[in-house]
Amino acid sequence: MNYKKAAEINENISWRDITPGCNIYEGGTSDTVATGEWRTMRPVLHEDKCKQCLLCVPVCPDLSIPMEKDGKRGGFNYFFCKGCGICAAVCPFGAIEMIPEEK
Amino acid sequence: MGIRERLSGNEAIAYAMKQINPDVMGAFPITPSTEIPQYFSTYVDNGEVDTEFIPVESEHSAMSTCIGAQAAGVRAISATSSCGLVYMTEMLYVAASDRLPITLAVSTRALSGPININNDHSDAMGVRDAGWIQLFAETNQEAYDNYLQAMRIGEAVSLPVMICQDGFITSHAIENIELAEDDKVRKFVGEYHPDNALLGRENPMSVGAFGMPCYYMECKRQQAQAMIDAKEVIRRVGEEFGAMTGRSYGLIEKYRMDDAEEAVVIMGSSAGTAKAAVDELRAEGKKAGLVKIRSFRPFPAEELVEALKNVKAFAAMDKDDSFNAHCGPMFAEIAAALYAAGETAPKGINYIYGLGGRDVRLESIRRVYAELEQIAATGKTGETYRYLDVRE
């Protein structure tokens, strides 16, 4: 059968070789796609204003604000972050600023 | 030797489901298929099957349930009719394109409006391009037999299968039927163990990918190939079923076609009436024949060309209308098959018939053959888009 992993499916694949239904024969394939590229606005953390209240962490729809072992939030995971700005909206201290994404 | 019984078409389908003992049923009731999940839920309640019976709030959810279950790695079934099938339509496409061999029993019924609960093929024809294999039954026996073959066919090509029978006409009429023994059914149908499934810890997979323009068309071409490949599988499974029961099946059935000059092409229960008309006409010395389509998807183009190429005139009988100011779907596809094969000698006409439960009588079919005789004699088809038995 035609069991392929994400890395084996590319834009040159023929109809005979593509997987049925474009199914992908592995899990966690989001690791291979930089969906953060869709972002037009980028959240930037001003650490001097951040009180580590952690209100931003659970509201992120893409789990792009990681928790560190010391119980503090880490830097944004820009590989997944879509720049929706919810974190900035919930921050009571103005510690997250949304700036235009530039390439 | 099978077990002789008397069952309605819905009972026969529910009994086949019981014998197969599938893993999940997503169900929502609608006339005239309601009895299928109703009877089957009794088997579930009595512990005669191990099926997870999931009553849902709509047909859209019933099919979604089946998609989730089948993708998880088990056999999923449902049953529906009419607007229920229409309401499922969005998910029917997903089931087919995700290549999930779900089995759906359809007791065919007209669509609103005017509101009507009786039989025609508008519902099944409305989803004919959803990517499902569609088998149609003339009798309760065929509905039962087709159901027992469905999973073998669908799982071989990774496509879902619709087992259609005529609502009320066979779904509620009780007929003599020969059932296969449980052990024979289980051996014939076999068990379902997909190599990969969402719940397969050893071989994980992701289902329901986003197919961008650079992938979508390759994916659809491969899906189209599965439907092409299904033709041979339907033949092979039909022969194997014949070896078990003495009742063999192909894509079409030819009835007294050897030297036929006038032929009717028809699908579903009215084929029985039309066969009786053929017998009468043959007794009168007329060269009448009949072709019954069992598999509408995949469409048996080559088989129909072979069956029809030597007749003088044929009528394609559509139990629904495309409302295209031209013809019904069966006529369109038969005409396309003949033209593509370079067979332009047979004169063809199209009858829209039996809509919303309009009775189809021997006299109705005899009128069709009388028209065909005229066309065969004169070579003039006249209007090709006709309604049968409608008051002028």
Side-chain angles (χ1 to χ4, degrees):
Chain A
M1 261 303 271
N2 188 0
Y3 302 134
K4 289 189 175 64
K5 296 189 190 308
E8 301 169 84
I9 304 172
N10 60 52
E11 295 183 14
N12 296 316
I13 198 163
S14 77
W15 70 262
R16 292 175 202 279
D17 293 333
I18 204 166
T19 56
C22 284
N23 289 333
I24 301 163
Y25 293 90
E26 62 181 322
T29 54
S30 55
D31 278 342
T32 65
V33 185
T35 48
E37 288 179 0
W38 305 350
R39 196 171 51 239
T40 57
M41 296 295 283
R42 164 187 285 255
V44 175
L45 180 67
H46 296 296
E47 293 195 21
D48 55 324
K49 292 186 187 171
C50 176
K51 306 282 191 275
Q52 291 293 337
C53 71
L54 304 180
L55 283 175
C56 56
V57 174
V59 299
C60 176
D62 251 339
L63 303 176
S64 294
I65 304 175
M67 284 296 293
E68 304 293 345
K69 284 194 177 130
D70 59 4
K72 294 181 176 174
R73 59 153 293 174
F76 289 103
N77 181 344
Y78 291 116
F79 190 80
F80 290 123
C81 169
K82 312 294 185 297
C84 69
I86 296 175
C87 54
V90 300
C91 179
F93 308 107
I96 300 173
E97 183 187 357
M98 299 301 293
I99 63 168
E101 187 68 58
E102 285 173 19
K103 292 215 169 127
Chain B
M1 188 59 201
I3 304 152
R4 294 189 67 77
E5 250 295 0
R6 306 173 303 282
L7 294 175
S8 74
N10 281 345
E11 283 176 315
I13 292 287
Y15 196 83
M17 290 171 171
K18 181 182 88 150
Q19 292 185 299
I20 293 168
N21 192 12
D23 302 291
V24 170
M25 179 179 218
F28 188 85
I30 183 165
T31 300
S33 62
T34 300
E35 291 177 337
I36 295 173
Q38 179 191 325
Y39 293 132
F40 189 73
S41 63
T42 309
Y43 299 135
V44 174
D45 200 43
N46 291 344
E48 294 174 84
V49 290
D50 309 308
T51 311
E52 188 74 30
F53 186 87
I54 307 178
V56 290
E57 76 282 8
S58 75
E59 287 85 356
H60 190 282
S61 300
M63 188 43 59
S64 301
T65 299
C66 289
I67 289 168
Q70 194 87 32
V74 301
R75 278 189 175 133
I77 61 168
S78 190
T80 196
S81 294
S82 189
C83 29
L85 186 62
V86 173
Y87 193 21
M88 265 184 198
T89 303
E90 179 188 3
M91 302 319 292
L92 293 178
Y93 280 78
V94 174
S97 60
D98 281 353
R99 307 295 298 279
L100 298 170
I102 295 159
T103 309
L104 175 64
V106 178
S107 300
T108 56
R109 167 188 150 181
L111 295 172
S112 301
I115 299 171
N116 178 294
I117 62 164
N118 296 93
N119 171 248
D120 66 33
H121 294 161
S122 302
D123 49 3
M125 285 296 107
V127 297
R128 66 187 183 273
D129 295 340
W132 284 58
I133 291 167
Q134 291 183 310
L135 301 183
F136 284 75
E138 176 188 331
T139 61
N140 299 5
Q141 182 75 63
E142 285 187 10
Y144 172 79
D145 291 351
N146 287 348
Y147 200 89
L148 294 185
Q149 295 169 61
M151 291 171 192
R152 287 283 308 279
I153 296 165
E155 289 164 12
V157 291
S158 296
L159 286 179
V161 182
M162 228 176 264
I163 297 300
C164 305
Q165 62 172 316
D166 284 356
F168 290 114
I169 299 173
T170 64
S171 76
H172 282 62
I174 293 168
E175 289 183 332
N176 289 333
I177 192 166
E178 190 179 306
L179 305 169
E181 293 84 350
D182 287 355
D183 56 332
K184 281 191 185 171
V185 169
R186 298 230 165 120
K187 187 156 175 280
F188 180 81
V189 177
E191 292 189 2
Y192 181 59
H193 297 295
D195 294 342
N196 296 65
L198 287 180
L199 290 184
R201 195 174 292 206
E202 304 301 318
N203 300 303
M205 69 183 294
S206 307
V207 174
F210 179 70
M212 291 191 294
C214 56
Y215 298 115
Y216 187 87
M217 213 161 153
E218 279 67 27
C219 193
K220 290 323 238 186
R221 175 63 184 85
Q222 193 185 74
Q223 187 182 334
Q225 189 64 40
M227 190 60 88
I228 295 168
D229 295 345
K231 291 181 71 173
E232 187 50 39
V233 175
I234 292 169
R235 271 188 223 106
R236 199 182 66 227
V237 172
E239 282 167 22
E240 207 181 307
F241 188 82
M244 177 174 82
T245 62
R247 299 183 297 276
S248 295
Y249 291 91
L251 298 160
I252 64 170
E253 178 191 329
K254 289 184 280 189
Y255 187 75
R256 305 189 82 159
M257 281 299 293
D258 282 350
D259 61 342
E261 292 181 354
E262 292 92 30
V264 156
V265 189
I266 198 161
M267 197 160 68
S269 64
S270 303
T273 311
K275 284 175 185 171
V278 169
D279 288 343
E280 284 187 2
L281 292 161
R282 285 281 177 174
E284 294 163 20
K286 298 183 193 301
K287 291 192 171 175
L290 175 144
V291 181
K292 181 176 82 182
I293 295 180
R294 173 184 181 233
S295 168
F296 191 77
R297 289 287 181 265
F299 190 76
E302 295 88 351
E303 291 76 6
L304 285 164
V305 169
E306 195 55 37
L308 293 175
K309 66 181 184 187
N310 294 324
V311 302
K312 290 181 177 167
F314 72 89
M317 308 296 291
D318 272 292
K319 218 172 197 180
D320 74 307
D321 196 347
S322 280
F323 299 108
N324 54 9
H326 177 43
C327 67
M330 213 156 89
F331 181 78
E333 300 213 12
I334 293 169
L338 288 165
Y339 189 83
E343 298 289 349
T344 52
K347 302 284 181 189
I349 54 170
N350 185 206
Y351 273 102
I352 310 297
Y353 79 106
L355 299 187
R358 175 59 54 92
D359 210 7
V360 184
R361 307 165 72 90
L362 268 174
E363 307 88 89
S364 319
I365 303 293
R366 287 194 60 132
R367 271 194 287 284
V368 173
Y369 279 103
E371 289 293 317
L372 290 178
E373 270 186 70
Q374 281 292 315
I375 293 166
T378 62
K380 292 188 172 62
T381 50
E383 176 62 71
T384 53
Y385 178 41
R386 308 176 181 204
Y387 264 63
L388 184 65
D389 287 353
V390 67
R391 291 184 297 276
E392 295 294 340

